[in-house]
């Protein structure tokens, strides 16, 4: 720690070797999306505040308590994005992407911002990989996304991941369920704040983690008992495709998640080795979202996988980070002239696709060789004054200790051959 600046509250610096783990997580998730034909999309880090207010839901915690909202110098209300889906749908509508072949499949890899109370696994700046499929109401798309995410976790070596699955119904059957739940909740003894939530957004009460509330919910009506025939058939098909794909899941009829836009399929991946913040990813179907933000009817389904928590899950399962990137050749120049020649050789090697580094600073042979060893390079390329005069460099195999002179002319080709 210094007396000076520190990373802001709720944020952290991602340093090696954990940064390697984080990159591996992102790569596995991106690979999964790409393997399903999803294409990369990038939207701005900030959007009009209204997009999230309308798209995420006015009464959600994200919107009421957690947004980084400010007026810019032009007097516009701007919000740092707290989630990705509303912005992706906004971009798809704005650019008419859904006029072509459907579904439009997109993925993103980006930082998000929520003013949450920081704790282990909960940050104000965090990273998500997201995937969205827009324009199709086919349950196979829901299943595809879930399978891709489950396979990404498995590819990372994670074994303690549980998939929770639910259906929230649609605009036909959800209102009746909402009313039934509201009826039930009005009859139990709740604190004023929760009573208010019963009126504004009763489904969110199911999400309340307090044990006393959970106890009161024991006999609450379940959404899965209120699904219309179409929603039931849709949900059954998703469940069946998951089973056929060998993806295990647990039916969780109380799963609601914090954003308002979900319809039908809803899912969450939790890791059993993490504490309170056990959700490592989640998503669902959001058939009404486009209309909520002023677009045409455009069904969609997607997920967002949390990179930070997946890194924590990997640490909890003691999965080692991948090895650091290594160079193949480490040049050790001895003397001023040798230094310039070594610099050029290293540059040539890199341009030819060979990873190379150089002993910088005025170090003696011993110090420079230690640096070469630490670099993990296969070869040290030692350049003394006498070698230079002879037009050679000494190529030392750092695994066997063998050393031989190699002509400077054609050195790149020689080294490349040896590395093969
Ligand atoms: P959500 O957008 O809330 O559905 O979140 C999707 C995933 O992002 C969660 O399962 C978490 O893994 C991750 N996530 C959400 N909020 C945070 C946060 N404040 N800090 C770290 N990860 C988060």
């Amino acid at each position: 720690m210094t007396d000076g600046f520190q990373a802001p509250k709720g944020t952290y610096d991602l340093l090696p070797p954990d940064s390697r783990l984080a990159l591996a997580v992102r790569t596995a998730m991106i690979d999964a999306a790409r393997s399903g034909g999803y294409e990369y999309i990038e939207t701005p880090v900030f959007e009009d505040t209204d997009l999230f207010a309308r798209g995420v839901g006015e009464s959600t915690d994200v919107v009421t308590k957690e947004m980084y909202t400010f007026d810019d110098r032009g007097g516009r209300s701007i919000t740092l994005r707290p989630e990705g889906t509303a912005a992706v749908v906004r971009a798809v509508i704005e650019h008419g992407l859904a006029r072509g072949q459907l579904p439009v499949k997109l993925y993103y890899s980006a930082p998000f911002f929520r003013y949450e109370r920081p704790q282990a696994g909960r940050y104000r700046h965090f990273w998500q990989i997201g995937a969205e499929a827009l324009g199709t109401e086919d349950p196979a798309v829901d299943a595809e996304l879930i399978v891709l995410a489950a396979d990404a976790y498995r590819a990372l070596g994670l074994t303690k991941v549980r998939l929770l699955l639910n259906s929230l119904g649609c605009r036909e059957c959800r209102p009746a369920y909402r009313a039934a739940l509201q009826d039930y909740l009005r009859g139990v003894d709740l604190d004023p704040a929760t009573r208010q939530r019963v009126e504004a957004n009763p489904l969110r009460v199911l999400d309340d983690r307090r044990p006393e509330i959970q106890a009161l919910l024991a006999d609450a009506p379940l959404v899965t008992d209120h699904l219309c025939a179409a929603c039931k058939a849709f949900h059954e098909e998703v469940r069946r495709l998951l089973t056929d794909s060998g993806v295990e899941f647990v039916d969780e009829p109380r799963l609601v998640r914090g954003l308002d836009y979900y319809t039908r399929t809803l899912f969450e991946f939790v890791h059993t080795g993490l504490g309170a913040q056990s959700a490592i990813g989640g998503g669902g179907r959001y058939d009404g979202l486009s209309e909520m933000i002023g677009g045409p009817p455009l069904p969609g389904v997607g997920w967002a996988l949390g990179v930070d928590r997946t890194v924590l899950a990997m640490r909890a399962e003691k999965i080692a980070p991948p090895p650091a990137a290594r160079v193949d050749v480490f040049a050790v120049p001895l003397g001023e002239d040798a230094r310039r020649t070594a610099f050029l050789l290293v540059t040539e090697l890199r341009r030819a696709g060979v990873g190379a580094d150089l002993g910088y600073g005025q170090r003696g042979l011993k110090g420079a060789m230690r640096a070469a060893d630490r670099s993990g390079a296969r070869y040290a390329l030692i350049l003394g004054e006498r070698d230079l005069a002879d037009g050679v460099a000494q190529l030392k195999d750092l695994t066997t200790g063998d050393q031989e002179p190699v002509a400077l002319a054609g050195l790149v080709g020689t080294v490349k051959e040896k590395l093969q």
Side-chain angles (χ1 to χ4, degrees):
M1 261 215 279
T2 62
D3 292 336
F5 294 110
Q6 292 168 22
K9 183 172 174 171
T11 73
Y12 64 98
D13 298 309
L14 194 49
L15 309 171
D18 270 357
S19 55
R20 273 188 251 141
L21 212 42
L23 276 185
V25 167
R26 288 186 208 167
T27 305
M29 293 168 172
I30 289 171
D31 284 352
R34 289 169 53 104
S35 79
Y38 290 74
E39 278 221 77
Y40 183 62
I41 183 170
E42 210 168 286
T43 60
V45 163
F46 56 83
E47 297 269 354
D48 282 348
T49 300
D50 264 359
L51 174 69
F52 300 117
R54 284 163 59 187
V56 176
E58 302 270 12
S59 69
T60 59
D61 281 355
V62 168
V63 170
T64 55
K65 302 186 205 153
E66 298 169 2
M67 294 211 299
Y68 275 91
T69 298
F70 57 95
D71 285 344
D72 73 6
R73 286 168 196 272
R76 303 169 197 88
S77 182
I78 292 292
T79 294
L80 300 186
R81 59 183 170 201
E83 61 98 56
T85 304
V88 169
V89 174
R90 194 266 307 138
V92 167
I93 299 168
E94 180 176 339
H95 304 288
L97 297 189
R99 284 200 289 263
Q101 189 176 308
L102 298 176
V104 181
K105 290 172 147 193
L106 300 164
Y107 79 87
Y108 54 82
S109 167
F112 294 88
F113 309 86
R114 291 182 196 171
Y115 194 81
E116 298 204 71
R117 203 160 37 76
Q119 65 180 84
R122 191 161 72 191
Y123 311 107
R124 291 180 174 176
H125 168 282
F126 57 97
W127 203 281
Q128 289 182 341
I129 310 295
E132 318 282 354
L134 290 123
T136 316
E137 263 184 275
D138 189 335
V141 185
D142 306 43
E144 164 183 290
L145 277 159
I146 296 173
V147 172
L148 289 173
D151 286 356
Y153 291 127
R154 195 161 38 197
L156 287 165
L158 289 167
T159 57
K160 297 183 178 169
V161 178
R162 285 176 81 219
L163 166 60
L164 311 178
L165 185 67
N166 195 16
S167 170
L168 286 184
C170 62
R171 62 186 114 188
E172 302 303 321
C173 54
R174 173 115 125 243
Y177 171 66
R178 190 180 186 274
L181 182 65
Q182 220 161 26
D183 256 7
Y184 172 87
L185 291 172
R186 283 177 187 145
V188 296
D189 187 22
L190 295 166
D191 56 275
T194 310
R195 268 211 305 277
Q196 243 172 24
R197 198 176 297 160
V198 169
E199 299 312 315
N201 196 341
L203 269 73
R204 291 295 320 284
V205 179
L206 298 178
D207 221 8
D208 199 318
R209 292 280 143 248
R210 288 175 295 174
E212 63 275 21
I213 304 285
Q214 283 300 314
L216 290 172
L217 289 172
D219 297 321
L222 299 177
V223 64
T224 34
D225 293 333
H226 288 76
L227 297 180
C228 62
C231 284
K232 204 173 272 176
F234 191 99
H235 192 50
E236 278 315 310
E237 184 61 14
V238 173
R239 295 176 78 256
R240 171 165 189 173
L241 290 173
L242 292 180
T243 306
D244 289 354
S245 311
V247 170
E248 283 177 32
F249 58 88
V250 181
D251 288 309
E252 185 49 86
R254 287 182 210 285
L255 179 67
V256 285
R257 308 189 77 244
L259 318 176
D260 264 2
Y261 49 58
Y262 290 115
T263 51
R264 291 192 165 167
T265 311
L266 189 72
F267 53 92
E268 189 152 270
F269 291 95
V270 295
H271 191 271
T272 55
L274 297 177
Q277 303 305 318
S278 63
I280 56 172
R285 180 162 278 282
Y286 44 84
D287 292 343
L289 174 57
S290 171
E291 288 144 290
M292 279 160 70
I293 61 172
L298 184 68
V301 54
W303 46 239
L305 310 182
V307 173
D308 310 74
R309 285 188 204 164
T310 305
V311 168
L312 295 179
M314 290 182 73
R315 273 211 241 143
E317 291 202 38
K318 303 207 165 23
I319 299 170
R326 291 187 308 122
V327 294
D328 298 308
V329 177
F330 194 98
V332 175
L334 305 169
E336 250 342 281
D337 291 340
R339 186 170 303 279
R340 290 200 190 95
T341 307
F343 186 90
L344 291 179
L345 284 172
V346 162
T347 300
E348 270 184 59
L349 282 165
R350 291 173 184 155
R351 285 178 178 161
V354 177
D357 200 358
L358 172 63
Y360 290 108
Q362 306 290 336
R363 258 186 293 206
L365 178 63
K366 232 168 122 187
M369 285 308 288
R370 250 202 312 272
D373 274 327
R374 263 204 301 267
S375 77
R378 172 81 193 280
Y379 293 107
L381 193 67
I382 306 157
L383 273 149
E385 299 292 336
R386 166 125 24 103
D387 294 321
L388 267 192
D390 295 345
V392 297
Q394 303 295 327
L395 191 67
K396 181 170 182 175
D397 187 323
L398 291 171
T399 36
T400 63
D402 295 343
Q403 183 171 317
E404 57 173 328
V406 175
L408 290 181
L411 180 134
V412 170
T414 314
V415 170
K416 272 192 98 163
E417 246 166 61
K418 282 184 173 292
L419 280 168
Q420 259 154 31

